[in-house]
């Protein structure tokens, strides 16, 4: 695996939040190759969301460097090298489904005809054909998240960043969207970085799982997921699946033990606090 | 709350149902109004209340009809002032809010004075604006209305512009969108519900401001002057009739803003009609 070809390359990335001086990330080293689906998993407050935002140039690291497609993360953001999906779908109520999906295309200056054609393709991809002129509040949570994924993929970015995208959904919907995400991943060839706190979800989806520990946020280990592709409903029943789930869980436990047990303000709160400054 | 009728409803039936529902919504208020007026009329007659204390509704209505040309021209005069003040106050406060949302540090420097200015009783400004703009023209009254309108619109607009979910902004940043794009595509649309509720409050305040401004010195045509003059001359039916005109015009301005809100915010969940 060469660092030059990597879609994402993190070298010595650290992040200290000024407020409270909490070390959210410490010395993160990680390279993600084209076509991979890498999950970041860890307890809440381990910095996984912060790490995703460092890759997306939405949070500046205190030390170290994040590179995306061989460029600085900043340049990659300016070049629109990634699409992002948040835990809440972040759809704009004043735009209907079609217009939410085509928002990035408008910003890129695509003309109306090209946008409409692309929106139709994407609606088909996420199985929402016919919902184009619905408003976000008329959709279920799962449907909203599918719109959000379609929007992130609209301009075919080489990288998709996903921050606990299915965390707020019920188990049934989550499993269905997991399958859908894998299908989209296979057809689009996009590299995906996927933040989750569900071990089963991480193992089921990923080619590799990066296990993080909290305070300071570190990568406690990387588990290679050698389950056969494509993954199906049966994948979840294979003995190897359970072995890998156990392996990830063991890493999480090991990380937990080594981390300072003192209760500190959560990373999310600090993140918001810094944002307000 | 009934279940939302989704798009497929044939239009005529849907409309009939909607009109029916509207009437249903309005019925209690209408009933209270009719009852209150009837009670008022009945009590005034039964106890033979002196007309300078409380004229009967029928007497007020008679005066409205008799003095319609005087009241109408007064109403138009004052309404012009109110609309002028409303427009000036809203434009200035929205522009200020945009500036304060863009440069947060500025807010800390400016807001205390805005709050202090808002604490001054509005009537105290009347002699001052008369002095500045001349007591007999509309500008001095527009200034009063504008001042009265300024603060609530400023505070609400600012809140709307700044209480956008952080992830909404992050999403736009991920598209490398600049400040202006974020303002136009996210901050302003998500502030619209706040802005419209402020404008509705402001519409009523503007009419109050105009009438209050007219209380000291003003053109004899103005509604505020008519109210004061009629009261001094003991013509209480006329004073009450002028008050009714002022309220109806205030409500009309409110209704116009509410209509504009419906037209521009069809997307908003509250526009579904079942909330």
């Amino acid at each position: 695996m060469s660092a030059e070809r990597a879609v994402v390359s993190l070298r010595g990335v650290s992040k200290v939040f000024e407020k409270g001086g909490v070390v959210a990330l410490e010395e993160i080293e990680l390279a993600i190759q084209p076509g991979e689906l890498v999950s970041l998993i860890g307890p809440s407050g381990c910095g996984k969301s912060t790490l995703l935002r460092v890759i997306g140039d939405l949070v500046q690291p205190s030390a170290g460097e994040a590179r995306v497609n061989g460029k600085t993360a900043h340049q990659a953001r300016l070049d629109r090298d990634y699409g992002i999906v948040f835990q809440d779908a972040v759809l704009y109520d004043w735009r209907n489904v079609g217009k939410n999906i085509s928002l990035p295309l408008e910003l890129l200056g695509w003309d109306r005809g090209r946008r409409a054609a692309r929106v139709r393709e994407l609606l088909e991809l996420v199985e929402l054909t016919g919902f184009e002129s619905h408003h976000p509040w008329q959709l279920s949570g799962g449907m909203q998240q599918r719109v959000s994924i379609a929007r992130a993929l609209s301009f075919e970015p080489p990288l998709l960043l996903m921050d606990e995208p299915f965390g707020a959904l019920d188990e049934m919907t989550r499993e269905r969207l997991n399958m859908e995400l894998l299908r989209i991943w296979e057809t689009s060839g996009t590299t995906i970085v996927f933040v989750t706190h569900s071990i089963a979800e991480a193992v089921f989806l990923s080619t590799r799982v990066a296990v993080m520990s909290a305070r300071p946020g570190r990568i406690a280990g990387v588990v290679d997921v050698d389950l056969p592709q494509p993954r199906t409903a049966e994948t979840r029943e294979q003995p190897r699946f359970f072995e890998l789930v156990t392996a990830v869980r063991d890493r999480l436990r090991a990380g937990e033990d080594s981390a300072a047990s003192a209760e500190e303000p959560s990373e999310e709160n600090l993140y918001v606090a810094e944002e307000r400054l | 709350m009934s279940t939302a009728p989704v798009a497929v409803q044939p239009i005529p039936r849907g409309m009939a149902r909607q009109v029916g529902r509207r009437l249903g919504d309005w019925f209690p208020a209408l009933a209270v109004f009719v009852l209150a007026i009837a009670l008022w009329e009945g009590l005034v007659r039964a106890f033979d209340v002196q007309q300078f204390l409380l004229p009967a509704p029928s007497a007020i209505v008679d005066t409205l009809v008799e003095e319609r040309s005087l009241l109408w021209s007064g109403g138009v005069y004052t309404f012009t002032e109110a609309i002028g003040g409303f427009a000036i106050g809203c434009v200035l406060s929205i522009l200020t809010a945009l500036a304060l949302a863009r440069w947060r540090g500025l807010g800390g420097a400016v807001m205390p004075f805005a709050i202090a200015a808002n604490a001054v009783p509005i009537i105290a400004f009347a002699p001052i604006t008369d002095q500045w703009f001349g007591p007999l023209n509309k500008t001095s009254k527009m200034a009063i209305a504008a001042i009265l309108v300024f603060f609530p619109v400023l505070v609400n607009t600012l809140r709307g512009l700044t209480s956008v979910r952080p992830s909404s902004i992050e999403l736009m940043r991920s598209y490398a969108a600049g400040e202006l794009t974020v303002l136009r595509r996210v901050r302003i649309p998500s502030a619209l519900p706040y802005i419209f509720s402020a404008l509705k409050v402001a519409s009523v305040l503007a009419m109050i401001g105009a009438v209050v401004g007219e209380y000291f010195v003003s053109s004899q045509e103005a509604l505020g002057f008519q109210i004061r003059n009629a009261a001094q001359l003991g013509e209480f039916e006329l004073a009450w009739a002028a008050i009714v005109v002022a309220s109806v015009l205030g409500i009309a301005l409110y209704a116009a803003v509410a209509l504009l809100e419906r037209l521009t915010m069809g997307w908003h969940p509250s526009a579904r009609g079942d909330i």
Side-chain angles (χ1 to χ4, degrees):
Chain A
M1 287 206 251
S2 72
E4 288 77 52
R5 275 185 65 243
V7 178
V8 176
S9 140
L10 302 167
R11 266 176 257 150
V13 169
S14 298
K15 175 69 185 175
V16 182
F17 282 104
E18 283 167 32
K19 265 209 174 159
V22 170
V23 183
L25 296 171
E26 192 174 73
E27 292 287 324
I28 303 284
E29 301 279 338
L30 187 66
I32 298 170
Q33 304 303 321
E36 273 199 287
L37 199 166
V38 174
S39 286
L40 304 176
I41 193 170
S44 61
C46 75
K48 54 194 191 297
S49 289
T50 305
L51 187 58
L52 196 78
R53 283 171 168 78
V54 168
I55 298 170
D57 187 43
L58 299 172
V59 166
Q60 302 309 312
S62 313
E65 195 194 22
R67 296 185 76 83
V68 174
N69 282 338
K71 298 174 264 195
T72 62
H74 181 67
Q75 190 57 46
R77 178 169 68 86
L78 296 185
D79 292 347
R80 281 117 166 170
D81 274 1
Y82 72 87
I84 191 162
V85 176
F86 298 96
Q87 178 167 358
D88 53 339
V90 196
L91 302 177
Y92 298 139
D93 276 334
W94 51 92
R95 290 173 161 257
N96 64 25
V97 166
K99 286 192 169 161
N100 265 292
I101 293 176
S102 68
L103 172 70
L105 306 179
E106 279 176 40
L107 297 177
L108 286 165
W110 287 30
D111 64 55
R112 194 180 292 264
R114 205 170 152 217
R115 288 203 307 259
R118 181 67 181 143
V119 166
R120 271 196 300 279
E121 273 174 40
L122 288 158
L123 284 171
E124 205 171 307
L125 181 72
V126 298
E127 293 173 348
L128 281 176
T129 305
F131 287 93
E132 181 171 356
S133 48
H134 278 61
H135 276 277
W137 42 263
Q138 292 173 311
L139 306 183
S140 69
M143 290 160 96
Q144 290 184 5
Q145 203 52 284
R146 270 143 65 189
V147 174
S148 168
I149 292 169
R151 177 181 59 192
L153 292 170
S154 63
F155 52 104
E156 298 185 317
L159 176 63
L160 188 57
L161 303 178
M162 306 185 85
D163 188 9
E164 295 188 35
F166 310 134
L169 305 176
D170 63 84
E171 194 65 23
M172 297 291 289
T173 312
R174 177 191 277 233
E175 286 189 4
R176 212 175 56 241
L177 286 182
N178 281 172
M179 292 304 298
E180 230 171 281
L181 179 66
L182 285 177
R183 182 174 55 77
I184 290 167
W185 175 59
E186 272 155 27
T187 50
S188 64
T190 307
T191 308
I192 298 179
V193 184
F194 190 94
V195 169
T196 180
H197 53 234
S198 158
I199 300 173
E201 184 176 60
V203 171
F204 180 70
L205 291 176
S206 312
T207 54
R208 282 191 295 155
V209 178
V211 179
M212 295 183 68
S213 66
R215 298 187 192 102
R218 280 194 190 133
I219 293 189
V222 177
V223 176
D224 279 305
V225 181
D226 49 9
L227 291 165
Q229 301 279 2
R231 312 268 160 90
T232 60
E234 286 81 58
T235 305
R236 292 180 201 275
E237 283 146 32
Q238 289 174 14
R240 183 67 188 141
F241 177 78
F242 293 108
E243 284 169 30
L244 287 161
V245 165
T246 307
V248 170
R249 186 174 291 128
D250 288 347
R251 287 290 166 93
L252 279 168
R253 290 234 175 91
E256 217 168 70
D257 294 339
S258 69
S261 56
E263 273 300 309
E264 286 179 76
S266 82
E267 170 211 350
E268 283 78 12
N269 292 342
L270 285 165
Y271 173 68
V272 170
E274 181 151 291
E275 199 46 22
R276 285 179 158 198
L277 287 174
Chain B
M1 199 175 82
S2 62
T3 50
V6 186
V8 285
Q9 195 64 244
I11 291 167
R13 231 187 101 199
M15 248 171 69
R17 181 187 291 182
Q18 197 155 13
V19 168
R21 193 163 53 194
R22 280 291 142 71
L23 283 180
D25 289 347
W26 282 89
F27 181 75
L30 199 68
V32 168
F33 180 75
V34 170
L35 270 175
I37 295 287
L39 195 68
W40 177 355
E41 183 81 38
L43 288 175
V44 168
R45 285 182 187 219
F47 296 101
D48 203 13
V49 178
Q50 295 290 318
Q51 63 101 2
F52 66 86
L53 287 177
L54 188 65
S58 57
I60 297 171
V61 171
D62 286 345
T63 315
L64 272 172
V65 176
E66 276 165 33
E67 303 286 352
R68 60 184 176 279
S69 67
L70 179 75
L71 289 168
W72 175 249
S73 70
V76 170
Y77 188 93
T78 304
F79 198 49
T80 322
E81 293 171 348
I83 289 181
F86 176 77
I88 295 167
C90 291
V91 168
L92 287 180
S93 56
I94 290 173
L95 288 178
T96 310
L98 286 172
L100 295 186
R102 174 66 186 80
W103 297 284
R104 299 293 172 89
L106 209 61
V110 170
M111 281 313 273
F113 299 103
I115 293 165
N118 186 54
V120 177
I122 191 65
I123 202 149
F125 282 115
I128 299 172
T129 59
D130 280 348
Q131 214 41 252
W132 286 354
F133 302 107
L136 295 180
N137 61 33
K138 290 177 182 167
T139 317
S140 54
K141 320 306 177 214
M142 284 184 191
I144 292 292
I147 293 169
L148 197 54
V149 157
F150 185 83
F151 191 73
V153 178
L154 171 67
V155 170
N156 275 290
T157 308
L158 187 58
R159 169 169 294 185
L161 289 172
T162 52
S163 59
V164 181
R165 281 182 302 178
S167 49
S168 284
I169 306 290
E170 282 189 316
L171 182 73
M172 292 302 281
R173 281 180 59 206
S174 82
Y175 302 140
E179 283 281 347
L180 265 180
T181 311
V182 174
L183 185 70
R184 194 162 73 85
R185 308 259 184 179
V186 180
R187 288 197 191 274
I188 290 178
S190 59
L192 278 181
Y194 293 85
I195 294 177
F196 271 112
S197 53
L199 292 185
K200 283 192 275 189
V201 173
S203 63
V204 180
L205 285 179
M207 198 63 199
I208 294 172
V211 172
V212 166
E214 289 162 356
Y215 246 66
F216 286 91
V217 190
S218 72
S219 155
Q220 298 200 1
E221 213 181 340
L223 216 50
F225 177 87
Q226 286 187 31
I227 296 172
R228 197 189 56 159
N229 202 41
Q232 281 173 350
L233 297 175
E235 295 169 354
F236 286 95
E237 297 97 336
L238 184 59
W240 276 86
I243 290 170
V244 169
V245 171
S247 327
V248 168
L249 290 174
I251 293 167
L253 190 54
Y254 180 96
V257 175
L259 183 69
L260 186 68
E261 179 183 30
R262 268 196 177 266
L263 293 179
T264 45
M265 297 212 318
W267 51 265
H268 198 262
S270 69
R272 271 181 289 187
D274 58 352
I275 288 179

